[in-house]
Amino acid sequence: MNLLQDKVALVTGGSRGIGASIVSRFAAAGAQVAFTYHSSREKAEALAAAVSAEYGVTVQAFQSDAASYAASEQLVSNVITAFGQIDILVNNAGITRDTLMLRMSEEQWDTVIENNLKSVFNLTKHVVRPMMKKRKGSIINMSSIVGITGNAGQANYAASKAGIIGFSKSIAKEMGSRNIRCNVIAPGFIATDMTDELDEKTREAYLSNIPLRRFGEGTEVADACVFLASDMSSYISGQVLSVCGALNT
Ligand code: NAP
């Protein structure tokens, strides 16, 4: 089913992990996809070529730092020049700088807030105007269940992810009259480079708490994105969808 036929999507942080799965699933659903990376140029170019060849849609990688307001403005302009429109924005780019509060530096706090939360403002700010002109749009912001529950050693990350939820609900209320929807996905533990950084003991502890008894796959988060990006979810806005194997219920 080509749920995203004739739509153009912009996905931040599409070179690896969950973002790469979103790029692939969106293309499989018929969308044309622009996606960003920060430093993984080779991975990004290879992904764009492979996904484009597999699904016969345009897929293009753009180097852009989501934490930069100016770069985000330029990116949106470049994508509109290349693709003509943006119907779907997925703010997926994110980083961790985990440590306990007693050890957390100002730099670790600021970097996570800028990359995870300010980035969502940067991109949303620049896509809403073109979406308003079309009187249609779907914005999907990648939070985390730790933005709902909190997590020891992740005060910076959890704060950024909780901020995304408040931001997204506000955008849903502000932009609803223009038919722009804004929703949040809150993944639990998904097998990516980000979770590969966890030590074995921590992984086992998390695993024993997940009712489905496994980490999720990037494609399982991506499928939720396809739903929220498509007209299948046309009356859903301002919501947080947990994709977490029932870890957070
Ligand atoms: P990942 O494998 O570490 O990949 C992160 C992606 O974000 C990469 O494509 C990276 O680009 C990009 N990125 C990072 N900073 C960026 C910036 N400033 N500008 C542009 N791109 C940037 O991460 P992931 O596990 O797939 O996570 C994706 C999202 O899901 C994140 O927001 C994360 O917080 C959230 N999440 C993940 C999990 C999980 O268990 N994995 C759980 C909950 C929420 P480069 O390749 O160029 O570095």
Side-chain angles (χ1 to χ4, degrees), residues 222-249:
D223 286 339
C225 289
V226 171
F227 170 66
L228 290 176
S230 79
D231 295 342
M232 295 275 282
S233 59
S234 50
Y235 203 53
I236 299 176
S237 189
Q239 304 305 308
V240 181
L241 176 58
S242 291
V243 181
C244 65
L247 179 57
N248 175 50
T249 53

PDB file of all heavy atoms in Angstrom, residues 222-249:
ATOM      1  N   ALA A 222       9.920   2.901  12.700  1.00  0.00           N
ATOM      2  CA  ALA A 222       9.659   3.496  11.376  1.00  0.00           C
ATOM      3  C   ALA A 222       8.222   3.233  10.929  1.00  0.00           C
ATOM      4  O   ALA A 222       7.587   4.105  10.322  1.00  0.00           O
ATOM      5  CB  ALA A 222      10.654   2.952  10.356  1.00  0.00           C
ATOM      6  N   ASP A 223       7.704   2.051  11.221  1.00  0.00           N
ATOM      7  CA  ASP A 223       6.321   1.741  10.825  1.00  0.00           C
ATOM      8  C   ASP A 223       5.323   2.658  11.542  1.00  0.00           C
ATOM      9  O   ASP A 223       4.312   3.073  10.954  1.00  0.00           O
ATOM     10  CB  ASP A 223       6.001   0.271  11.086  1.00  0.00           C
ATOM     11  CG  ASP A 223       6.671  -0.649  10.075  1.00  0.00           C
ATOM     12  OD1 ASP A 223       7.040  -0.165   8.976  1.00  0.00           O
ATOM     13  OD2 ASP A 223       6.838  -1.849  10.373  1.00  0.00           O
ATOM     14  N   ALA A 224       5.618   2.982  12.798  1.00  0.00           N
ATOM     15  CA  ALA A 224       4.762   3.931  13.528  1.00  0.00           C
ATOM     16  C   ALA A 224       4.846   5.311  12.876  1.00  0.00           C
ATOM     17  O   ALA A 224       3.848   6.040  12.799  1.00  0.00           O
ATOM     18  CB  ALA A 224       5.189   3.998  14.993  1.00  0.00           C
ATOM     19  N   CYS A 225       6.041   5.662  12.381  1.00  0.00           N
ATOM     20  CA  CYS A 225       6.208   6.948  11.677  1.00  0.00           C
ATOM     21  C   CYS A 225       5.395   6.971  10.388  1.00  0.00           C
ATOM     22  O   CYS A 225       4.796   8.000  10.050  1.00  0.00           O
ATOM     23  CB  CYS A 225       7.678   7.203  11.354  1.00  0.00           C
ATOM     24  SG  CYS A 225       8.680   7.567  12.785  1.00  0.00           S
ATOM     25  N   VAL A 226       5.390   5.863   9.647  1.00  0.00           N
ATOM     26  CA  VAL A 226       4.600   5.807   8.403  1.00  0.00           C
ATOM     27  C   VAL A 226       3.136   6.086   8.729  1.00  0.00           C
ATOM     28  O   VAL A 226       2.468   6.882   8.055  1.00  0.00           O
ATOM     29  CB  VAL A 226       4.754   4.439   7.697  1.00  0.00           C
ATOM     30  CG1 VAL A 226       3.767   4.315   6.530  1.00  0.00           C
ATOM     31  CG2 VAL A 226       6.179   4.243   7.208  1.00  0.00           C
ATOM     32  N   PHE A 227       2.644   5.473   9.780  1.00  0.00           N
ATOM     33  CA  PHE A 227       1.244   5.676  10.185  1.00  0.00           C
ATOM     34  C   PHE A 227       0.975   7.149  10.509  1.00  0.00           C
ATOM     35  O   PHE A 227       0.039   7.753   9.992  1.00  0.00           O
ATOM     36  CB  PHE A 227       0.925   4.786  11.395  1.00  0.00           C
ATOM     37  CG  PHE A 227      -0.392   5.079  12.049  1.00  0.00           C
ATOM     38  CD1 PHE A 227      -1.585   4.848  11.374  1.00  0.00           C
ATOM     39  CD2 PHE A 227      -0.448   5.612  13.338  1.00  0.00           C
ATOM     40  CE1 PHE A 227      -2.816   5.133  11.982  1.00  0.00           C
ATOM     41  CE2 PHE A 227      -1.660   5.907  13.939  1.00  0.00           C
ATOM     42  CZ  PHE A 227      -2.851   5.668  13.268  1.00  0.00           C
ATOM     43  N   LEU A 228       1.847   7.746  11.343  1.00  0.00           N
ATOM     44  CA  LEU A 228       1.624   9.142  11.760  1.00  0.00           C
ATOM     45  C   LEU A 228       1.865  10.131  10.612  1.00  0.00           C
ATOM     46  O   LEU A 228       1.331  11.236  10.626  1.00  0.00           O
ATOM     47  CB  LEU A 228       2.507   9.490  12.963  1.00  0.00           C
ATOM     48  CG  LEU A 228       2.108   8.805  14.277  1.00  0.00           C
ATOM     49  CD1 LEU A 228       3.108   9.139  15.376  1.00  0.00           C
ATOM     50  CD2 LEU A 228       0.688   9.218  14.714  1.00  0.00           C
ATOM     51  N   ALA A 229       2.680   9.745   9.644  1.00  0.00           N
ATOM     52  CA  ALA A 229       2.929  10.617   8.487  1.00  0.00           C
ATOM     53  C   ALA A 229       1.789  10.551   7.481  1.00  0.00           C
ATOM     54  O   ALA A 229       1.564  11.500   6.727  1.00  0.00           O
ATOM     55  CB  ALA A 229       4.231  10.192   7.799  1.00  0.00           C
ATOM     56  N   SER A 230       1.064   9.444   7.473  1.00  0.00           N
ATOM     57  CA  SER A 230       0.071   9.202   6.415  1.00  0.00           C
ATOM     58  C   SER A 230      -1.311   9.737   6.805  1.00  0.00           C
ATOM     59  O   SER A 230      -1.563  10.089   7.953  1.00  0.00           O
ATOM     60  CB  SER A 230      -0.035   7.696   6.149  1.00  0.00           C
ATOM     61  OG  SER A 230      -0.829   7.096   7.160  1.00  0.00           O
ATOM     62  N   ASP A 231      -2.197   9.725   5.814  1.00  0.00           N
ATOM     63  CA  ASP A 231      -3.567  10.176   6.078  1.00  0.00           C
ATOM     64  C   ASP A 231      -4.350   9.150   6.902  1.00  0.00           C
ATOM     65  O   ASP A 231      -5.487   9.422   7.305  1.00  0.00           O
ATOM     66  CB  ASP A 231      -4.276  10.459   4.747  1.00  0.00           C
ATOM     67  CG  ASP A 231      -3.615  11.622   4.008  1.00  0.00           C
ATOM     68  OD1 ASP A 231      -2.877  12.397   4.656  1.00  0.00           O
ATOM     69  OD2 ASP A 231      -3.810  11.741   2.779  1.00  0.00           O
ATOM     70  N   MET A 232      -3.755   7.993   7.164  1.00  0.00           N
ATOM     71  CA  MET A 232      -4.382   7.005   8.063  1.00  0.00           C
ATOM     72  C   MET A 232      -4.561   7.590   9.465  1.00  0.00           C
ATOM     73  O   MET A 232      -5.386   7.114  10.242  1.00  0.00           O
ATOM     74  CB  MET A 232      -3.512   5.749   8.188  1.00  0.00           C
ATOM     75  CG  MET A 232      -3.355   4.962   6.924  1.00  0.00           C
ATOM     76  SD  MET A 232      -4.688   3.803   6.666  1.00  0.00           S
ATOM     77  CE  MET A 232      -4.207   2.498   7.774  1.00  0.00           C
ATOM     78  N   SER A 233      -3.748   8.588   9.804  1.00  0.00           N
ATOM     79  CA  SER A 233      -3.803   9.180  11.153  1.00  0.00           C
ATOM     80  C   SER A 233      -4.323  10.619  11.090  1.00  0.00           C
ATOM     81  O   SER A 233      -3.953  11.442  11.920  1.00  0.00           O
ATOM     82  CB  SER A 233      -2.417   9.152  11.795  1.00  0.00           C
ATOM     83  OG  SER A 233      -1.489   9.871  10.987  1.00  0.00           O
ATOM     84  N   SER A 234      -5.202  10.895  10.118  1.00  0.00           N
ATOM     85  CA  SER A 234      -5.598  12.288   9.845  1.00  0.00           C
ATOM     86  C   SER A 234      -6.281  12.994  11.017  1.00  0.00           C
ATOM     87  O   SER A 234      -6.331  14.226  11.044  1.00  0.00           O
ATOM     88  CB  SER A 234      -6.492  12.332   8.603  1.00  0.00           C
ATOM     89  OG  SER A 234      -7.515  11.384   8.731  1.00  0.00           O
ATOM     90  N   TYR A 235      -6.811  12.249  11.977  1.00  0.00           N
ATOM     91  CA  TYR A 235      -7.466  12.901  13.134  1.00  0.00           C
ATOM     92  C   TYR A 235      -6.659  12.709  14.420  1.00  0.00           C
ATOM     93  O   TYR A 235      -7.166  12.866  15.518  1.00  0.00           O
ATOM     94  CB  TYR A 235      -8.903  12.363  13.293  1.00  0.00           C
ATOM     95  CG  TYR A 235      -9.820  13.302  14.052  1.00  0.00           C
ATOM     96  CD1 TYR A 235      -9.957  14.633  13.669  1.00  0.00           C
ATOM     97  CD2 TYR A 235     -10.565  12.849  15.147  1.00  0.00           C
ATOM     98  CE1 TYR A 235     -10.795  15.495  14.363  1.00  0.00           C
ATOM     99  CE2 TYR A 235     -11.409  13.699  15.847  1.00  0.00           C
ATOM    100  CZ  TYR A 235     -11.520  15.030  15.449  1.00  0.00           C
ATOM    101  OH  TYR A 235     -12.351  15.879  16.147  1.00  0.00           O
ATOM    102  N   ILE A 236      -5.387  12.379  14.259  1.00  0.00           N
ATOM    103  CA  ILE A 236      -4.515  12.169  15.419  1.00  0.00           C
ATOM    104  C   ILE A 236      -3.468  13.272  15.445  1.00  0.00           C
ATOM    105  O   ILE A 236      -2.672  13.416  14.517  1.00  0.00           O
ATOM    106  CB  ILE A 236      -3.833  10.784  15.348  1.00  0.00           C
ATOM    107  CG1 ILE A 236      -4.886   9.669  15.344  1.00  0.00           C
ATOM    108  CG2 ILE A 236      -2.869  10.603  16.519  1.00  0.00           C
ATOM    109  CD1 ILE A 236      -4.321   8.276  15.177  1.00  0.00           C
ATOM    110  N   SER A 237      -3.483  14.083  16.491  1.00  0.00           N
ATOM    111  CA  SER A 237      -2.481  15.140  16.642  1.00  0.00           C
ATOM    112  C   SER A 237      -2.298  15.446  18.125  1.00  0.00           C
ATOM    113  O   SER A 237      -3.225  15.295  18.922  1.00  0.00           O
ATOM    114  CB  SER A 237      -2.928  16.399  15.872  1.00  0.00           C
ATOM    115  OG  SER A 237      -1.868  17.332  15.844  1.00  0.00           O
ATOM    116  N   GLY A 238      -1.092  15.839  18.469  1.00  0.00           N
ATOM    117  CA  GLY A 238      -0.791  16.186  19.866  1.00  0.00           C
ATOM    118  C   GLY A 238      -0.634  14.972  20.768  1.00  0.00           C
ATOM    119  O   GLY A 238      -0.710  15.092  21.992  1.00  0.00           O
ATOM    120  N   GLN A 239      -0.366  13.809  20.164  1.00  0.00           N
ATOM    121  CA  GLN A 239      -0.313  12.571  20.942  1.00  0.00           C
ATOM    122  C   GLN A 239       1.115  12.034  21.056  1.00  0.00           C
ATOM    123  O   GLN A 239       1.971  12.330  20.233  1.00  0.00           O
ATOM    124  CB  GLN A 239      -1.199  11.502  20.288  1.00  0.00           C
ATOM    125  CG  GLN A 239      -2.639  11.945  20.108  1.00  0.00           C
ATOM    126  CD  GLN A 239      -3.276  12.404  21.413  1.00  0.00           C
ATOM    127  OE1 GLN A 239      -3.239  11.697  22.422  1.00  0.00           O
ATOM    128  NE2 GLN A 239      -3.845  13.611  21.402  1.00  0.00           N
ATOM    129  N   VAL A 240       1.314  11.224  22.084  1.00  0.00           N
ATOM    130  CA  VAL A 240       2.605  10.553  22.287  1.00  0.00           C
ATOM    131  C   VAL A 240       2.370   9.054  22.132  1.00  0.00           C
ATOM    132  O   VAL A 240       1.581   8.474  22.880  1.00  0.00           O
ATOM    133  CB  VAL A 240       3.174  10.834  23.693  1.00  0.00           C
ATOM    134  CG1 VAL A 240       4.527  10.144  23.868  1.00  0.00           C
ATOM    135  CG2 VAL A 240       3.293  12.331  23.947  1.00  0.00           C
ATOM    136  N   LEU A 241       3.021   8.477  21.136  1.00  0.00           N
ATOM    137  CA  LEU A 241       2.878   7.033  20.900  1.00  0.00           C
ATOM    138  C   LEU A 241       4.143   6.322  21.360  1.00  0.00           C
ATOM    139  O   LEU A 241       5.227   6.523  20.808  1.00  0.00           O
ATOM    140  CB  LEU A 241       2.649   6.793  19.399  1.00  0.00           C
ATOM    141  CG  LEU A 241       2.559   5.343  18.922  1.00  0.00           C
ATOM    142  CD1 LEU A 241       1.435   4.586  19.632  1.00  0.00           C
ATOM    143  CD2 LEU A 241       2.336   5.306  17.417  1.00  0.00           C
ATOM    144  N   SER A 242       4.024   5.509  22.394  1.00  0.00           N
ATOM    145  CA  SER A 242       5.180   4.744  22.883  1.00  0.00           C
ATOM    146  C   SER A 242       5.369   3.502  22.033  1.00  0.00           C
ATOM    147  O   SER A 242       4.415   2.771  21.766  1.00  0.00           O
ATOM    148  CB  SER A 242       4.981   4.328  24.343  1.00  0.00           C
ATOM    149  OG  SER A 242       5.035   5.455  25.179  1.00  0.00           O
ATOM    150  N   VAL A 243       6.602   3.274  21.606  1.00  0.00           N
ATOM    151  CA  VAL A 243       6.944   2.071  20.830  1.00  0.00           C
ATOM    152  C   VAL A 243       8.027   1.390  21.663  1.00  0.00           C
ATOM    153  O   VAL A 243       9.223   1.614  21.466  1.00  0.00           O
ATOM    154  CB  VAL A 243       7.459   2.448  19.428  1.00  0.00           C
ATOM    155  CG1 VAL A 243       7.792   1.189  18.611  1.00  0.00           C
ATOM    156  CG2 VAL A 243       6.434   3.297  18.677  1.00  0.00           C
ATOM    157  N   CYS A 244       7.570   0.600  22.647  1.00  0.00           N
ATOM    158  CA  CYS A 244       8.509   0.221  23.713  1.00  0.00           C
ATOM    159  C   CYS A 244       8.308  -1.189  24.251  1.00  0.00           C
ATOM    160  O   CYS A 244       8.839  -1.513  25.326  1.00  0.00           O
ATOM    161  CB  CYS A 244       8.396   1.226  24.853  1.00  0.00           C
ATOM    162  SG  CYS A 244       6.779   1.194  25.662  1.00  0.00           S
ATOM    163  N   GLY A 245       7.550  -2.030  23.534  1.00  0.00           N
ATOM    164  CA  GLY A 245       7.351  -3.407  24.016  1.00  0.00           C
ATOM    165  C   GLY A 245       6.694  -3.463  25.382  1.00  0.00           C
ATOM    166  O   GLY A 245       6.959  -4.378  26.169  1.00  0.00           O
ATOM    167  N   ALA A 246       5.858  -2.451  25.686  1.00  0.00           N
ATOM    168  CA  ALA A 246       5.104  -2.345  26.953  1.00  0.00           C
ATOM    169  C   ALA A 246       5.983  -1.990  28.155  1.00  0.00           C
ATOM    170  O   ALA A 246       5.546  -2.117  29.296  1.00  0.00           O
ATOM    171  CB  ALA A 246       4.293  -3.626  27.238  1.00  0.00           C
ATOM    172  N   LEU A 247       7.201  -1.504  27.899  1.00  0.00           N
ATOM    173  CA  LEU A 247       8.057  -1.072  29.013  1.00  0.00           C
ATOM    174  C   LEU A 247       7.403   0.068  29.784  1.00  0.00           C
ATOM    175  O   LEU A 247       7.445   0.107  31.012  1.00  0.00           O
ATOM    176  CB  LEU A 247       9.426  -0.630  28.460  1.00  0.00           C
ATOM    177  CG  LEU A 247      10.463  -0.122  29.449  1.00  0.00           C
ATOM    178  CD1 LEU A 247      10.756  -1.157  30.527  1.00  0.00           C
ATOM    179  CD2 LEU A 247      11.743   0.255  28.722  1.00  0.00           C
ATOM    180  N   ASN A 248       6.802   0.990  29.029  1.00  0.00           N
ATOM    181  CA  ASN A 248       6.115   2.117  29.673  1.00  0.00           C
ATOM    182  C   ASN A 248       4.623   1.989  29.431  1.00  0.00           C
ATOM    183  O   ASN A 248       4.141   2.270  28.351  1.00  0.00           O
ATOM    184  CB  ASN A 248       6.630   3.437  29.080  1.00  0.00           C
ATOM    185  CG  ASN A 248       5.870   4.619  29.636  1.00  0.00           C
ATOM    186  OD1 ASN A 248       5.724   4.747  30.846  1.00  0.00           O
ATOM    187  ND2 ASN A 248       5.389   5.472  28.768  1.00  0.00           N
ATOM    188  N   THR A 249       3.883   1.535  30.448  1.00  0.00           N
ATOM    189  CA  THR A 249       2.422   1.465  30.302  1.00  0.00           C
ATOM    190  C   THR A 249       1.769   2.121  31.500  1.00  0.00           C
ATOM    191  O   THR A 249       2.386   2.233  32.550  1.00  0.00           O
ATOM    192  CB  THR A 249       1.902   0.009  30.220  1.00  0.00           C
ATOM    193  OG1 THR A 249       2.404  -0.705  31.345  1.00  0.00           O
ATOM    194  CG2 THR A 249       2.330  -0.658  28.947  1.00  0.00           C
TER     195      THR A 249
END
